[in-house]
Amino acid sequence: MLTYLSIIVTAIFVNNIVFAQFLGICPFLGVSKKLSSAVGMGAAVMFVMTLATCVTWLVQHGILEPWGLGYMQTIVFILVIAALVQMLEIIIKKIAPGLYQALGVFLPLITTNCAVLGVAILVIQKGMNLGESIVYAVATAIGFTLALAVFAGIREHLRLVDVPAPMRGIPIALICAGMLHGIFRHHHRIRASFPSKYTNCAVTPKKYRDVTAQFYYILTTLIHPHLHPRRQYQRGLVMWSFLAKFAGNFT
């Protein structure tokens, strides 16, 4: 049980597929303009990633290894993922035309999403069994969806900010993505930079409302939109600190 819990926490918060491993950057930047599209893409990737990991694990251990065809791994895995994406595209087009239009070209591009292929190969390299592989795929997909949702929330907030003209669009998005990477990779150091007396007070001093504070604020806004902005920041800081401490127990 602890093994599966460790896999889940590590894949989502510690070794996030986007912010820590830099996989799946294409849909991360392309489908993160709206929160609804980001969540839809996350759900599609979760379905494909979980099913692809399960099928490729069976193919690897049932066909490639017994027949000495390990060198065909990458090609076979891509073919399996392409077939699953084609099936998913047909299903979404039938049951959710609006989501199909919103995802656009990025839906068939799941075939070449290195995050899906990367997870399928990683579970083989790490020697995971089928159960651990499925749990790892689901947790990684949740981490991918979390990354998209947080980044989409930030980009929606950026539309309300007076950003200098040369920085609008992709430039400011790339800067925010780099900051998110730093937060995910160095959350313990970031938490230590905030004096503890400010995490529980009603008013946070202006000097602590930096980029990290804005990230905590946006993260909590997505979960508790009814709170006062200062409360949102403080609750987000405490929540993220708890997650960082919890995840640190498994690293």
Side-chain angles (χ1 to χ4, degrees):
M1 185 63 184
L2 286 176
T3 301
Y4 291 111
L5 183 60
S6 174
I7 291 174
I8 292 171
V9 173
T10 302
I12 297 176
F13 300 110
V14 180
N15 202 23
N16 187 277
I17 193 71
V18 176
F19 296 135
Q21 302 185 59
F22 297 103
L23 298 176
I25 299 299
C26 179
F28 173 72
L29 293 175
V31 196
S32 57
K33 295 180 180 179
K34 295 178 62 178
L35 185 58
S36 57
S37 300
V39 173
M41 172 58 80
V45 169
M46 181 180 298
F47 175 81
V48 173
M49 187 177 290
T50 304
L51 197 55
T53 302
C54 180
V55 174
T56 53
W57 190 95
L58 295 173
V59 169
Q60 177 72 23
H61 291 84
I63 300 176
L64 298 183
E65 288 184 357
W67 290 84
L69 299 174
Y71 60 90
M72 296 285 292
Q73 182 189 75
T74 303
I75 297 176
V76 173
F77 283 15
I78 290 176
L79 291 176
V80 170
I81 294 170
L84 292 174
V85 170
Q86 188 65 32
M87 179 180 67
L88 178 67
E89 186 176 0
I90 295 173
I91 293 174
I92 292 182
K93 188 175 182 179
K94 290 291 184 181
I95 66 176
L99 178 60
Y100 177 81
Q101 293 293 333
L103 296 178
V105 70
F106 294 100
L107 181 57
L109 281 179
I110 295 178
T111 303
T112 57
N113 187 344
C114 53
V116 179
L117 179 61
V119 170
I121 294 176
L122 279 173
V123 297
I124 302 298
Q125 293 178 346
K126 294 182 178 181
M128 295 183 178
N129 58 40
L130 182 58
E132 292 173 346
S133 300
I134 294 175
V135 170
Y136 180 75
V138 173
T140 301
I142 293 174
F144 180 82
T145 305
L146 172 66
L148 256 68
V150 170
F151 195 54
I154 290 175
R155 295 186 73 172
E156 287 186 354
H157 278 70
L158 285 175
R159 297 195 189 100
L160 307 176
V161 179
D162 186 18
V163 180
M167 298 298 296
R168 291 172 187 168
I170 293 297
I172 191 64
L174 290 174
I175 292 174
C176 291
M179 293 176 178
L180 286 174
H181 161 70
I183 292 170
F184 266 79
R185 292 296 289 174
H186 306 287
H187 40 65
H188 294 290
R189 297 178 183 177
I190 291 171
R191 175 64 183 85
S193 66
F194 286 85
S196 58
K197 65 179 181 179
Y198 290 129
T199 59
N200 298 319
C201 65
V203 179
T204 303
K206 186 175 182 180
K207 64 179 179 178
Y208 291 107
R209 298 175 200 165
D210 57 3
V211 175
T212 305
Q214 291 300 317
F215 170 75
Y216 291 132
Y217 161 68
I218 293 169
L219 179 66
T220 316
T221 301
L222 298 175
I223 303 173
H224 301 289
H226 61 282
L227 292 178
H228 188 276
R230 289 171 178 169
R231 286 291 187 183
Q232 286 174 341
Y233 156 62
Q234 291 154 13
R235 183 168 295 188
L237 177 59
V238 173
M239 177 182 66
W240 193 256
S241 302
F242 170 77
L243 292 174
K245 183 178 180 180
F246 181 72
N249 294 330
F250 298 96
T251 56

Tab-separated table of all heavy atoms in Angstrom, residues 142-167:
chain	number	residue	atom	x	y	z
A	142	ILE	N	-2.837	12.616	-13.696
A	142	ILE	CA	-3.409	13.598	-12.765
A	142	ILE	C	-2.454	14.774	-12.587
A	142	ILE	O	-2.869	15.944	-12.562
A	142	ILE	CB	-3.716	12.934	-11.409
A	142	ILE	CG1	-4.838	11.909	-11.560
A	142	ILE	CG2	-4.098	13.982	-10.365
A	142	ILE	CD1	-5.108	11.098	-10.312
A	143	GLY	N	-1.157	14.468	-12.460
A	143	GLY	CA	-0.169	15.537	-12.374
A	143	GLY	C	-0.143	16.395	-13.620
A	143	GLY	O	0.006	17.624	-13.544
A	144	PHE	N	-0.298	15.767	-14.780
A	144	PHE	CA	-0.360	16.501	-16.046
A	144	PHE	C	-1.587	17.414	-16.074
A	144	PHE	O	-1.499	18.583	-16.466
A	144	PHE	CB	-0.399	15.502	-17.209
A	144	PHE	CG	-0.475	16.132	-18.563
A	144	PHE	CD1	0.671	16.601	-19.195
A	144	PHE	CD2	-1.685	16.251	-19.225
A	144	PHE	CE1	0.608	17.181	-20.454
A	144	PHE	CE2	-1.754	16.826	-20.486
A	144	PHE	CZ	-0.609	17.289	-21.100
A	145	THR	N	-2.740	16.877	-15.641
A	145	THR	CA	-3.969	17.679	-15.606
A	145	THR	C	-3.839	18.827	-14.616
A	145	THR	O	-4.292	19.951	-14.883
A	145	THR	CB	-5.162	16.786	-15.224
A	145	THR	OG1	-5.233	15.675	-16.120
A	145	THR	CG2	-6.463	17.569	-15.295
A	146	LEU	N	-3.217	18.560	-13.465
A	146	LEU	CA	-2.987	19.621	-12.477
A	146	LEU	C	-2.134	20.734	-13.068
A	146	LEU	O	-2.432	21.926	-12.894
A	146	LEU	CB	-2.309	19.036	-11.239
A	146	LEU	CG	-1.837	20.036	-10.186
A	146	LEU	CD1	-3.020	20.738	-9.537
A	146	LEU	CD2	-0.999	19.340	-9.112
A	147	ALA	N	-1.075	20.352	-13.778
A	147	ALA	CA	-0.199	21.353	-14.394
A	147	ALA	C	-0.968	22.196	-15.397
A	147	ALA	O	-0.843	23.432	-15.420
A	147	ALA	CB	0.985	20.655	-15.066
A	148	LEU	N	-1.777	21.545	-16.247
A	148	LEU	CA	-2.567	22.278	-17.241
A	148	LEU	C	-3.582	23.197	-16.577
A	148	LEU	O	-3.760	24.351	-17.001
A	148	LEU	CB	-3.278	21.292	-18.179
A	148	LEU	CG	-2.667	21.128	-19.575
A	148	LEU	CD1	-1.302	20.443	-19.463
A	148	LEU	CD2	-3.580	20.296	-20.472
A	149	ALA	N	-4.255	22.699	-15.529
A	149	ALA	CA	-5.297	23.492	-14.875
A	149	ALA	C	-4.707	24.716	-14.184
A	149	ALA	O	-5.243	25.829	-14.295
A	149	ALA	CB	-6.049	22.622	-13.868
A	150	VAL	N	-3.601	24.528	-13.470
A	150	VAL	CA	-2.954	25.655	-12.788
A	150	VAL	C	-2.472	26.690	-13.801
A	150	VAL	O	-2.679	27.902	-13.632
A	150	VAL	CB	-1.784	25.157	-11.919
A	150	VAL	CG1	-0.964	26.327	-11.396
A	150	VAL	CG2	-2.304	24.331	-10.751
A	151	PHE	N	-1.846	26.210	-14.864
A	151	PHE	CA	-1.311	27.131	-15.876
A	151	PHE	C	-2.440	27.831	-16.621
A	151	PHE	O	-2.322	29.017	-16.956
A	151	PHE	CB	-0.424	26.354	-16.847
A	151	PHE	CG	0.445	27.232	-17.697
A	151	PHE	CD1	1.280	28.177	-17.124
A	151	PHE	CD2	0.446	27.111	-19.078
A	151	PHE	CE1	2.089	28.987	-17.907
A	151	PHE	CE2	1.252	27.919	-19.871
A	151	PHE	CZ	2.068	28.862	-19.286
A	152	ALA	N	-3.543	27.120	-16.888
A	152	ALA	CA	-4.691	27.752	-17.541
A	152	ALA	C	-5.300	28.825	-16.644
A	152	ALA	O	-5.698	29.897	-17.122
A	152	ALA	CB	-5.737	26.697	-17.889
A	153	GLY	N	-5.366	28.546	-15.325
A	153	GLY	CA	-5.871	29.560	-14.404
A	153	GLY	C	-5.000	30.800	-14.384
A	153	GLY	O	-5.496	31.930	-14.349
A	154	ILE	N	-3.686	30.598	-14.434
A	154	ILE	CA	-2.757	31.735	-14.471
A	154	ILE	C	-2.950	32.543	-15.746
A	154	ILE	O	-2.998	33.781	-15.724
A	154	ILE	CB	-1.307	31.232	-14.364
A	154	ILE	CG1	-1.046	30.684	-12.958
A	154	ILE	CG2	-0.311	32.355	-14.671
A	154	ILE	CD1	0.311	30.064	-12.787
A	155	ARG	N	-3.081	31.848	-16.889
A	155	ARG	CA	-3.232	32.568	-18.161
A	155	ARG	C	-4.559	33.311	-18.232
A	155	ARG	O	-4.636	34.388	-18.852
A	155	ARG	CB	-3.093	31.579	-19.327
A	155	ARG	CG	-1.700	30.965	-19.430
A	155	ARG	CD	-1.535	30.105	-20.663
A	155	ARG	NE	-1.448	30.906	-21.867
A	155	ARG	CZ	-1.150	30.399	-23.073
A	155	ARG	NH1	-0.911	29.101	-23.202
A	155	ARG	NH2	-1.092	31.189	-24.126
A	156	GLU	N	-5.598	32.762	-17.613
A	156	GLU	CA	-6.869	33.479	-17.570
A	156	GLU	C	-6.752	34.727	-16.704
A	156	GLU	O	-7.328	35.776	-17.035
A	156	GLU	CB	-7.971	32.552	-17.047
A	156	GLU	CG	-8.405	31.496	-18.056
A	156	GLU	CD	-9.589	30.681	-17.560
A	156	GLU	OE1	-9.983	30.863	-16.387
A	156	GLU	OE2	-10.105	29.861	-18.339
A	157	HIS	N	-6.015	34.638	-15.613
A	157	HIS	CA	-5.792	35.813	-14.770
A	157	HIS	C	-4.928	36.854	-15.490
A	157	HIS	O	-5.103	38.056	-15.296
A	157	HIS	CB	-5.116	35.404	-13.458
A	157	HIS	CG	-6.067	34.881	-12.424
A	157	HIS	ND1	-6.702	33.662	-12.544
A	157	HIS	CD2	-6.496	35.418	-11.247
A	157	HIS	CE1	-7.466	33.476	-11.490
A	157	HIS	NE2	-7.367	34.512	-10.684
A	158	LEU	N	-4.000	36.397	-16.304
A	158	LEU	CA	-3.117	37.327	-17.002
A	158	LEU	C	-3.880	38.208	-17.991
A	158	LEU	O	-3.422	39.299	-18.327
A	158	LEU	CB	-2.025	36.552	-17.746
A	158	LEU	CG	-0.891	35.976	-16.880
A	158	LEU	CD1	0.057	35.126	-17.720
A	158	LEU	CD2	-0.122	37.095	-16.185
A	159	ARG	N	-5.030	37.735	-18.472
A	159	ARG	CA	-5.825	38.558	-19.385
A	159	ARG	C	-6.388	39.790	-18.699
A	159	ARG	O	-6.750	40.762	-19.357
A	159	ARG	CB	-6.974	37.725	-19.968
A	159	ARG	CG	-6.515	36.548	-20.825
A	159	ARG	CD	-7.665	35.994	-21.645
A	159	ARG	NE	-7.298	34.752	-22.295
A	159	ARG	CZ	-7.615	33.547	-21.855
A	159	ARG	NH1	-8.329	33.430	-20.746
A	159	ARG	NH2	-7.246	32.456	-22.492
A	160	LEU	N	-6.467	39.731	-17.370
A	160	LEU	CA	-7.002	40.864	-16.605
A	160	LEU	C	-5.905	41.807	-16.127
A	160	LEU	O	-6.191	42.806	-15.471
A	160	LEU	CB	-7.786	40.339	-15.390
A	160	LEU	CG	-8.886	39.311	-15.694
A	160	LEU	CD1	-9.514	38.816	-14.395
A	160	LEU	CD2	-9.931	39.904	-16.622
A	161	VAL	N	-4.654	41.473	-16.450
A	161	VAL	CA	-3.508	42.264	-15.994
A	161	VAL	C	-2.968	43.093	-17.151
A	161	VAL	O	-2.998	42.650	-18.317
A	161	VAL	CB	-2.403	41.336	-15.434
A	161	VAL	CG1	-1.198	42.150	-14.970
A	161	VAL	CG2	-2.955	40.501	-14.284
A	162	ASP	N	-2.498	44.275	-16.835
A	162	ASP	CA	-1.928	45.155	-17.858
A	162	ASP	C	-0.481	44.737	-18.138
A	162	ASP	O	0.470	45.302	-17.604
A	162	ASP	CB	-1.989	46.609	-17.401
A	162	ASP	CG	-1.543	47.574	-18.499
A	162	ASP	OD1	-1.518	47.146	-19.676
A	162	ASP	OD2	-1.219	48.724	-18.181
A	163	VAL	N	-0.322	43.719	-18.987
A	163	VAL	CA	1.006	43.217	-19.344
A	163	VAL	C	1.564	44.074	-20.479
A	163	VAL	O	0.838	44.425	-21.406
A	163	VAL	CB	0.924	41.741	-19.801
A	163	VAL	CG1	2.297	41.204	-20.188
A	163	VAL	CG2	0.311	40.896	-18.695
A	164	PRO	N	2.835	44.459	-20.428
A	164	PRO	CA	3.429	45.236	-21.534
A	164	PRO	C	3.241	44.522	-22.866
A	164	PRO	O	3.313	43.278	-22.945
A	164	PRO	CB	4.909	45.306	-21.150
A	164	PRO	CG	4.913	45.173	-19.657
A	164	PRO	CD	3.782	44.245	-19.322
A	165	ALA	N	2.989	45.294	-23.913
A	165	ALA	CA	2.661	44.729	-25.226
A	165	ALA	C	3.670	43.698	-25.725
A	165	ALA	O	3.270	42.637	-26.230
A	165	ALA	CB	2.503	45.862	-26.245
A	166	PRO	N	4.981	43.922	-25.618
A	166	PRO	CA	5.925	42.921	-26.129
A	166	PRO	C	5.893	41.597	-25.367
A	166	PRO	O	6.374	40.577	-25.875
A	166	PRO	CB	7.296	43.599	-25.962
A	166	PRO	CG	7.001	45.055	-25.853
A	166	PRO	CD	5.686	45.135	-25.169
A	167	MET	N	5.329	41.601	-24.152
A	167	MET	CA	5.334	40.405	-23.327
A	167	MET	C	4.016	39.647	-23.361
A	167	MET	O	3.902	38.586	-22.745
A	167	MET	CB	5.649	40.775	-21.872
A	167	MET	CG	7.007	41.406	-21.674
A	167	MET	SD	8.344	40.288	-22.152
A	167	MET	CE	8.120	38.990	-20.956
